[in-house]
Amino acid sequence: MRFDTVIRNGTVVTASDTFVSDIGIKDGRIAALAAELTDADEVIDATGLLVLPGGIDSHVHLDQPSGNGIVMADDFDSGTRSAAVGGNTTVLAFCMQEKGQTLREALKVYHAKADGKCHVDVAFHLVVTDPTPDVLGQELPALVEDGYTSLKVFMTYDGLRLRDDEILATLDAARRTGALVMVHCENEDAIRYLIGRHEEEGKLSPKAHATTRPIAAEREATHRALSLAEIVDVPIVIVHVSNREAMEEIRRARQRGQKIAGETCPQYLMLTADDLDQDAMEGAKYVCSPPPRDKESQEACWEGLEQGVFDLFSSDHCPFRFDDPQGKLNDKGKRNFRWIPNGIPGVATRLPILFSEGVMKGRITVNQFVAMTSTNHARLYGLYPRKGTIAIGADADLALWDPNSRVTLTNDLLQHGADYTPYEGLEVQGWPVRVLLRGKTIVGKAAVAVSEAGGTYLSRERSSLVVNRSF
Ligand code: DUC
Ligand code: ZN
Ligand code: ZN
């Protein structure tokens, strides 16, 4: 067979194996894995490089309206460009239902935001904020059939949070339709109470964000979400876990026999609440929810990755500009932490940070790295085996990774819309030197993403956690 592209002499890494092989690519897919493939229009020499399945980041926020004049720093153009620079070939973004809006109306809005703008492939999770009988009984079953097979519910934030009875109804609808539900676990009433107390005491600086959202508020909500899922007998994903106590809830639920997926994020390995406690408003750069905790929590999150409590390592990319009245330093936010938008950028730094801090420091294997940054995302969100692995027939979504390249992270390198990175100055070892999306190079030398927006929308199957099949 003559190939469009052959990648020669790379070390191919999947979630289970590491082997030296050439890769033959034809019509955007992997057509051959063998030695000595030569007959191709384009030959890429990958000697000394790892060839990884392109990263799949199943937790990113792009172009979401954020209220109060706040504007997210990335739309689908800049956010997916930054994703590509960081070695990703697929992102799953959130489609936020406004109250009173149908899910179909919300999807129309988000498809219009994304169509023609994406540099990597994209799919949507539905965020259900208004679980009316029509939404759950009529819309959701049809949307799952149409390939929107996951949704998120919030236990915090006024206007987004669902009551327990609404969560139960949503989980039950998910069980009937085969959708997978992601849950943001923080106890809103406890947080509101603590915000009130902090305001009475005049504690209004960014560090109060962490003390008003304590570990117990996350642990309690995690336990409650798991209990609600147990009551209606449905799998769920606990997203962005920040600490040991919430993680242990997942472990215990699994021991009871529940099907649970767990997710953690770079900020819970790399940052602590002390980062919020800095002079002037610098701490606002690190305001995200749940907040970064302490050193012990970082250790716990590493343990969760090493031991498989967490299946997913996602960025929770939720970028706002810092020095901007529409971002972190909005007028109200400068006076009171509660108005600082929650979220930090991270879609480009997720893979390099986990590779450098996890693989290079001997905490996880390179195969675990691939599982937690790509394969498990594809399996859990219905994209496997088209995405998330290197196998005959899979999309040729590949990150050519130089394990010896040392890079100092700077904001400019990341090509996102934010004016800062929480990881400025961090030196990482390991970097994606070339990224291919369905066989086409989208990031080449010097990490410049091509300007053409070649990403497509992905319709998805049901989650492996729901259907429980191995192929
Ligand atoms: N939850 C998220 O998942 N992302 C950013 C903010 C939040 O609360
Ligand atoms: Zn969340
Ligand atoms: Zn998020």
Side-chain angles (χ1 to χ4, degrees), residues 162-185:
L162 302 188
R163 297 187 312 265
D164 288 358
D165 62 319
E166 293 173 320
I167 294 173
L168 280 166
T170 306
L171 291 172
D172 219 3
R175 184 185 53 76
R176 288 193 300 273
T177 57
L180 182 63
V181 181
M182 312 156 81
V183 190
H184 179 131
C185 302

Side-chain angles (χ1 to χ4, degrees), residues 39 43 45 47 232 283 303 321 334 336 351 390 412 448:
D39 192 10
V43 175
D45 181 14
T47 306
V232 294
E303 194 182 303
R321 290 176 58 80
K334 282 195 268 193
N336 183 329
L351 297 174
I390 297 178
D412 287 350
V448 176

